[in-house]
């Protein structure tokens, strides 16, 4: 039915949330068989997976869905990012992408390295719990509310977020 609508489709591969991994062969088959599929948000955390996809289909757009490896994915041919961290530091994440595309790789790598601590703490509990808490701590959200099945972050996570956010201008 989707192939008949004409709507463009981005596949989202995030086994950490779905407990199902779209393996490379399956993804390539879907891309070849369903003309509406043009891209994948690859969030397996595997640089090898991205390279496998990019090496097999030059016209298949791979987008990084894993903040920790945005830099190497972009350098290896990913066309962009869909980022959790960008919810709190959009300017830095945007600069990272623009720097890679402008081949300012030292600058991009430094941004990626500088964001490592934040990228890590934002995934210390199930997404989107930590990013919402971080946005609240930064004054970007008025309240810290979650809808079930999500629950508030632990006190330990809140302390980690507060300590980590001190390193960044948010």
């Amino acid at each position: 039915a989707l192939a008949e609508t004409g709507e463009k489709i981005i596949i989202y591969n995030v086994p950490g949330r779905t407990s199902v991994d779209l393996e490379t062969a399956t993804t390539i088959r879907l891309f070849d068989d369903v003309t509406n599929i043009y891209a994948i948000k690859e969030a397996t955390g595997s640089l090898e997976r991205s390279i496998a996809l990019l090496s097999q289909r030059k016209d298949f757009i791979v987008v990084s869905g894993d903040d920790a490896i945005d830099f190497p994915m972009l350098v290896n041919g990913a066309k962009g990012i869909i980022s959790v961290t960008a919810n709190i530091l959009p300017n830095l994440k945007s600069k990272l992408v623009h720097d890679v595309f402008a081949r300012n790789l030292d600058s991009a790598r430094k941004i990626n390295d500088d964001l490592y601590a934040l990228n890590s703490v934002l995934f210390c509990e199930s997404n989107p719990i930590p990013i919402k808490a971080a946005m609240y701590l930064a004054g970007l959200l008025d309240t810290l509310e979650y809808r079930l099945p999500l629950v508030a972050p632990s006190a330990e996570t809140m302390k980690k977020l507060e300590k980590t956010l001190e390193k960044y201008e948010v």
Side-chain angles (χ1 to χ4, degrees), residues 88-163:
I88 195 159
L89 292 172
N91 292 346
L92 276 179
K93 293 301 286 195
S94 178
K95 182 166 176 26
L96 183 151
V97 173
H98 287 285
D99 280 353
V100 170
F101 292 160
R103 306 313 286 171
N104 297 327
L105 300 183
D106 289 340
S107 174
R109 183 182 179 123
K110 181 178 183 331
I111 293 168
N112 197 69
D113 291 350
D114 290 347
L115 289 174
Y116 179 78
L118 183 59
N119 290 336
S120 296
V121 76
L122 290 178
F123 290 92
C124 68
E125 290 189 28
S126 293
N127 183 36
I129 293 169
I131 186 60
K132 285 188 172 207
M135 292 172 72
Y136 172 76
L137 290 169
L140 298 171
L141 295 177
D142 294 333
T143 61
L144 186 56
E145 297 179 26
Y146 294 89
R147 290 180 291 165
L148 292 174
L150 299 178
V151 296
S154 69
E156 180 182 335
T157 292
M158 289 300 284
K159 286 179 187 172
K160 284 182 190 177
L161 286 167
E162 288 172 350
K163 184 174 172 66

Side-chain angles (χ1 to χ4, degrees), residues 13-159:
N13 189 22
V14 58
R17 300 235 356 182
T18 63
S19 299
V20 176
D21 183 10
L22 286 171
E23 295 181 2
T24 302
T26 303
T27 302
I28 294 297
R29 192 183 83 233
L30 286 168
F31 176 70
D32 289 346
D33 293 350
V34 182
T35 58
N36 302 58
I37 294 174
Y38 73 101
I40 185 167
K41 176 183 174 183
E42 182 56 43
T44 59
S46 170
L47 185 56
E48 181 181 353
R49 174 67 58 85
S50 300
I51 293 169
L53 292 168
L54 290 163
S55 70
Q56 292 183 44
R57 297 294 182 276
K58 300 296 183 203
D59 54 341
F60 190 33
I61 295 171
V62 175
V63 176
S64 175
D66 192 329
D67 285 289
I69 61 169
D70 284 344
F71 173 73
M73 282 187 66
L74 290 164
V75 169
N76 281 286
K79 299 295 187 220
I81 65 173
I82 300 175
S83 166
V84 170
T85 305
N87 285 287
I88 195 159
L89 292 172
N91 292 346
L92 276 179
K93 293 301 286 195
S94 178
K95 182 166 176 26
L96 183 151
V97 173
H98 287 285
D99 280 353
V100 170
F101 292 160
R103 306 313 286 171
N104 297 327
L105 300 183
D106 289 340
S107 174
R109 183 182 179 123
K110 181 178 183 331
I111 293 168
N112 197 69
D113 291 350
D114 290 347
L115 289 174
Y116 179 78
L118 183 59
N119 290 336
S120 296
V121 76
L122 290 178
F123 290 92
C124 68
E125 290 189 28
S126 293
N127 183 36
I129 293 169
I131 186 60
K132 285 188 172 207
M135 292 172 72
Y136 172 76
L137 290 169
L140 298 171
L141 295 177
D142 294 333
T143 61
L144 186 56
E145 297 179 26
Y146 294 89
R147 290 180 291 165
L148 292 174
L150 299 178
V151 296
S154 69
E156 180 182 335
T157 292
M158 289 300 284
K159 286 179 187 172

